[in-house]
Structure formats: C-alpha cells, structure tokens
Amino acid sequence: MKALNPKRNLRKTLSLAMAAGLFVTSGWMPAKAFAQGMMGGMNMMHSADVKLVQEQGDYRPLRIPAILEPDETNGNARHYTLIMDEGQTEFREGSQTATLGYNGSYLGPTLVLTKGEDIKVTLRNQMEEETTVHWHGVLVPSIADGGPHQVVNPGTERDVSFSVKQEAATVWYHPHTMGKTAEQVYGGLAGFILIKDDNELSRNLPAEYGVDDVPLVVQDRSFTQGMQFDYPGNFNPDGTLGNTLLANGTIHAAFDVTTELLRLRLLNGSNARIYNFQLSDGRPFMQIASDGGLLNEPVAIQSIRLTPGERAEIMVSLKGMNSGEYLDLISEDTTVLRLNVAGDLKPNGSMPVTLNQLATAVDNGTVDRRFVLFGMGAMVSINGDVFDMNRVDERGITDQDEVWEIYNRPDMMGGMVHSFHLHGTQFRILTRDGALPPLNERGWKDTVALDSGERVRFLVSFDEPGLFMYHCHILEHEDNGMMGQIEITAK
Ligand code: C2O
Ligand code: CU
Ligand code: CU
C-alpha cells in the first residue's frame, strides 16, 4: 500500500512536529530513563487536538458489513476464509481512496459464531506487506491469537483454529503486526465478530442483522486533497486523529429504522479518538452489553464513553416517533449516525429486565500484579519497559484468579487517557480508584480506559496456555511499545 507508509514518513512528520513546537526536546532519551521521570523542565504536550468536522449535505446510507458465510459446515465445525487485500473505496462520490480490507476493499465481513462451534479460518494475505489477524476479545489459544508473533507473509496463507467457548458478545478482529498495527487498521483492516449463545437467544433481544441489530464501527480519518487517507500527514506518535468521521466506512451516514427498538453494537475502531456517544435530543438509552458480553441488567444512560478497542451494545427506543422524524447518534457535536424513522415502526419486543447472571466480582484487597502506564508519544512504557518480542514480561498459570492493578501515572503535562487491553481472556473491573465501577462496567471487559492518575483493579484468569499481549489500545502507543506479554502455563 503505497499511500500509507508512515515508516517512510515518520521522520519527516516528527521533524515537522518539532519545528512546529509540538515537541521540544534535546534529543530522544532511552524510554527507560524517560519512564523513570526525567521530564523536568521539558515543555511537552500530548496530542494536538484534531476536531471532527460536521459534514453538510446529503446523508449516505449506512454500509452494513456482509455476514461471512462459511466455506464449509460440518456438524459444529465451520471453515471460513478471510483475504487481506489492497483495494479502492469510494467514500465520496466520484473519488477512489486506496484502502485495505478483508474480502473487500474496506473493513471486513461480520463473522457470526455460536458458542460451542469449532472454527477454522484460513487467512490469506494478498497485500504487499506482512500482517497478522488478531481476535480481539475472543478466548483463543495463543497460537491462534494473531499477536505480533503470528505473521502471515505477503502471498501466503495461515490456518487458525479455535473453539467458541465464551458467552454471547460483540468482539472484533484486526491486525496486530509489529510496529504496523496503527497503519494497517487506519487503512481499513477491522471487522466484527458476533458471538451467540442460548442465554442471549432466550432474552428476545433484537437480532435481525442489519435491521434491528446493527454493528457500528466508528473511526476517524483525514483525507488529502486527492481523497487519499492522509495517515503520514496526520501521524501523531501519541495517537493519530482524523477530522472526518466514518461509521462502517460511511461518511455522513444515515440508517432507516423500521422497528421501535434498535440495538446498536458500538465499536470504537479508531486509532486514538475517544467518543462520548449520546442521542441528539438527550434521551437516555439502555446499555445491554460491555466488551465481553451481556450485563446482568440493562443500564439506562445518556452518554457513553468508548476509548479505542472498547465496545458497548446499546438499545435505543424510537417508539412513538413518526415517519419522517429522525434522531441522531452524536459524539461531542458531530453526527455519527442519523436514525431516520422510515414508516410505521414495528413493535419488536420490550426491554428485558434481566440479561445475564454474572457473579459479583469482589475486591478482597490483594493485588497479584501491578502495571504502570507511563510516557507519551514515541516514549511510552509499561512498568518502565518498552515492548520486546523476545522478552516475556510476566508469567502465570491457567485457571488462577488474579487481581491486576493498572495505574496510569501522570507526567509533567498532566498525562492522558490510555486504554489498557488484555488478550486471550475477559476480566471484571473491581474498582476505579478504590470505588466500585459504574454499573455499565460491571460486566465482562477486555479493554479499560484509565484517566491520568487513575488506578483500576480487575479480576482475571486465563483459560488457555501460551503467550498473550497486554497493551495500550491507542494504536500508535501499541506500535511504540506500550505493550508487554504474559506467558501462561497449564496448571
Ligand atoms: Cu485489539 Cu492487542 O488488540
Ligand atoms: Cu486484543
Ligand atoms: Cu496509551
């Protein structure tokens, strides 16, 4: 992909940023020294804010990713193929943007999997550069996890297999290529996985894909004059932001709602932007699921913050609205998705009172592992270390409950929000700065936002042995080494 090569442009971008006074340093320090607090006297700032521009004019119909059909089905076994390739995508009428996609030019098809199935996926890389396919939020053996160790070289294939062991959830897949995750995701590599199970089915939630059950990946991009993704021009080592909002790859998207209740599966698939989703008239909505599955009960909220990598399933009630009326899903002041009432809204059930039966996660005061997130830009670290593929940072065993404490250590600039993500498992947040997490964070999570200075404790255990990553999901931070690995051995 020639249009997207930040490696070639990184040096240029950084020196431009320095010339613009974004970074005033006397040279790059080793990250470890940096992490130990040598910021005195330096005038550094985190990220130059790039504001989203509100689109004007006509709305475009929201693209709905196709459901991926298996190549083969045999009892419980399903075989799928995902092809990573370069392509051209028309985001604005009459112009083509060079993009990346799975089985298509931008984003990827949705995999709909059911608990208990045995899945094999053939990954075929038709791009000119290496990639990996990571199953974010999926409980997979480490050999299938698609971390930086599991490269699919250009022109080659790799098969991965796993059994669907977890409960109903909205999870996703994306590349995890060493040093190239940010660029490849920006280019378009990301897709949804919807996991189904009996509990979810029994709750009678809206489940007609693309009709009343709609996946919505929200991303921000910047374009050049020639309508190409301007990743190099906007590259920021603290997280690249764009001024144009895309919902499922659609700029200025509208969706025709035909039912009283609409289930939206929100995914923050952006490299770095944080969204605060709200409805334009301020009406509350119900959050029914967090990253790893259904909450015990729906939680009524007016706004939900999602940092990169996080998901939330929400239910919006449009009951009582008439044909021709609309409601906007917004973030800050920008429209994410216009919801047009198309005709008489059909009744499609009611909000269940109970959704799940997760045991309460209790903080007993112990901490088994501590992680300190620190630094900025190209000098980010976890526990003072920058990622090294050949170093195992932590070791643990399967089926062992552990309490992890993550601390986002502020710096001279005040620090910034990091989103801490752990592979191969789901966890339960115990406390945020010693207090119980909000109701909508009491279900399964695999990615958690930490404000500067904040301390989060969660309860976790691993089902699968092997090597798993944990990292900041601001993708440029991940690429810059704000990542570590834990090796789990079978008990
Ligand atoms: Cu969504 Cu390690 O990533
Ligand atoms: Cu992941
Ligand atoms: Cu970060």
Side-chain angles (χ1 to χ4, degrees):
M1 237 333 287
K2 275 107 208 155
L4 286 167
N5 192 344
K7 280 288 169 299
R8 203 187 300 142
N9 293 281
L10 175 59
R11 196 169 296 275
K12 187 175 135 229
T13 310
L14 284 175
S15 49
L16 281 175
M18 284 171 138
L22 283 175
F23 308 99
V24 184
T25 72
S26 50
W28 302 106
M29 287 180 291
K32 193 133 191 174
F34 184 91
Q36 282 159 1
M38 296 184 57
M39 293 197 59
M42 283 184 212
N43 173 23
M44 298 180 117
M45 53 183 268
H46 280 278
S47 42
D49 193 22
V50 177
K51 290 257 177 299
L52 289 170
V53 174
Q54 173 63 52
E55 289 288 323
Q56 306 296 334
D58 291 346
Y59 283 82
R60 297 180 182 84
L62 176 74
R63 297 177 199 213
I64 305 287
I67 290 180
L68 184 62
E69 295 302 330
D71 304 334
E72 241 186 278
T73 299
N74 193 348
N76 258 351
R78 309 266 181 279
H79 180 197
Y80 296 94
T81 301
L82 282 179
I83 301 169
M84 295 77 93
D85 207 350
E86 291 142 22
Q88 298 283 327
T89 303
E90 189 175 85
F91 292 107
R92 292 190 193 279
E93 293 65 26
S95 37
Q96 298 289 331
T97 305
T99 50
L100 303 175
Y102 297 99
N103 300 10
S105 76
Y106 190 74
L107 297 173
T110 299
L111 276 81
V112 181
L113 311 180
T114 301
K115 187 174 180 181
E117 285 175 348
D118 296 319
I119 306 299
K120 181 167 119 185
V121 188
T122 297
L123 306 170
R124 187 179 307 150
N125 183 2
Q126 293 183 179
M127 306 189 300
E128 282 173 28
E129 60 183 33
E130 60 180 40
T131 192
T132 80
V133 182
H134 167 57
W135 315 98
H136 179 133
V138 189
L139 276 58
V140 295
S142 78
I143 189 71
D145 185 56
H149 299 273
Q150 286 134 22
V151 173
V152 191
N153 282 309
T156 70
E157 277 185 9
R158 183 186 183 109
D159 285 347
V160 296
S161 303
F162 57 90
S163 302
V164 185
K165 293 181 169 176
Q166 71 205 89
E167 59 186 72
T170 302
V171 288
W172 63 303
Y173 60 97
H174 65 77
H176 222 291
T177 323
M178 191 64 215
K180 283 187 181 163
T181 299
E183 176 203 354
Q184 292 186 346
V185 171
Y186 199 98
L189 293 175
F192 277 99
I193 306 168
L194 314 187
I195 297 178
K196 307 266 175 184
D197 71 0
D198 290 342
N199 174 54
E200 186 215 358
L201 277 179
S202 76
R203 306 291 171 184
N204 278 315
L205 294 165
E208 206 180 328
Y209 184 83
V211 176
D212 62 7
D213 180 359
V214 176
L216 196 74
V217 53
V218 183
Q219 301 171 308
D220 59 330
R221 299 287 182 266
S222 287
F223 293 88
T224 61
Q225 292 280 311
M227 265 307 278
Q228 300 309 305
F229 281 156
D230 195 9
Y231 187 71
N234 282 273
F235 178 81
N236 183 329
D238 246 344
T240 301
L241 301 170
N243 62 7
T244 306
L245 200 134
L246 278 72
N248 294 347
T250 316
I251 298 174
H252 209 35
F255 177 75
D256 284 346
V257 183
T258 55
T259 56
E260 291 177 348
L261 282 175
L262 177 66
R263 177 184 190 178
L264 290 172
R265 300 177 185 251
L266 303 175
L267 158 62
N268 182 347
S270 304
N271 285 35
R273 188 175 290 281
I274 297 170
Y275 299 95
N276 287 289
F277 295 109
Q278 283 175 281
L279 294 166
S280 47
D281 63 358
R283 77 176 64 184
F285 50 88
M286 295 287 189
Q287 185 175 347
I288 58 170
S290 53
D291 299 333
L294 293 169
L295 299 168
N296 278 354
E297 291 110 30
V299 175
I301 41 176
Q302 269 180 300
S303 166
I304 180 167
R305 176 176 78 164
L306 291 184
T307 60
E310 287 187 289
R311 288 87 63 210
E313 292 182 30
I314 63 169
M315 295 255 277
V316 178
S317 173
L318 294 99
K319 195 173 176 178
M321 290 180 75
N322 298 311
S323 186
E325 294 181 330
Y326 63 84
L327 184 65
D328 289 338
L329 178 74
I330 58 172
S331 176
E332 313 328 317
D333 289 325
T334 313
T335 310
V336 177
L337 179 64
R338 169 150 296 189
L339 302 172
N340 281 322
V341 177
D344 291 341
L345 295 175
K346 291 190 231 30
N348 59 334
S350 55
M351 198 58 231
V353 177
T354 305
L355 297 163
N356 210 344
Q357 275 161 338
L358 305 177
T360 309
V362 189
D363 191 346
N364 61 10
T366 56
V367 174
D368 299 290
R369 295 178 203 275
R370 293 176 199 273
F371 298 88
V372 178
L373 313 180
F374 188 69
M376 57 180 287
M379 288 173 287
V380 281
S381 64
I382 299 182
N383 289 345
D385 284 322
V386 174
F387 183 66
D388 177 351
M389 256 174 96
N390 300 312
R391 183 189 67 227
V392 173
D393 299 279
E394 301 283 332
R395 291 177 196 277
I397 53 173
T398 54
D399 302 314
Q400 174 80 48
D401 280 349
E402 294 189 5
V403 175
W404 289 24
E405 185 183 273
I406 322 298
Y407 174 50
N408 180 357
R409 187 178 151 204
D411 57 40
M412 298 290 290
M413 292 303 301
M416 62 184 286
V417 177
H418 296 286
S419 74
F420 184 89
H421 167 55
L422 173 59
H423 286 206
T425 187
Q426 291 283 336
F427 53 78
R428 301 284 303 283
I429 300 179
L430 297 169
T431 52
R432 280 188 174 275
D433 280 340
L436 288 176
L439 291 172
N440 62 334
E441 287 195 326
R442 296 193 190 172
W444 291 115
K445 292 284 292 168
D446 56 51
T447 307
V448 57
L450 288 103
D451 288 328
S452 178
E454 196 172 20
R455 226 175 266 275
V456 168
R457 285 188 192 187
F458 61 73
L459 182 67
V460 67
S461 78
F462 288 85
D463 274 5
E464 300 279 351
L467 200 57
F468 295 101
M469 309 293 130
Y470 50 86
H471 59 90
C472 178
H473 219 286
I474 292 174
L475 298 180
E476 286 76 12
H477 281 180
E478 173 191 328
D479 281 346
N480 292 341
M482 200 173 210
M483 176 154 70
Q485 42 194 356
I486 181 165
E487 173 138 51
I488 302 294
T489 33
K491 200 171 189 171

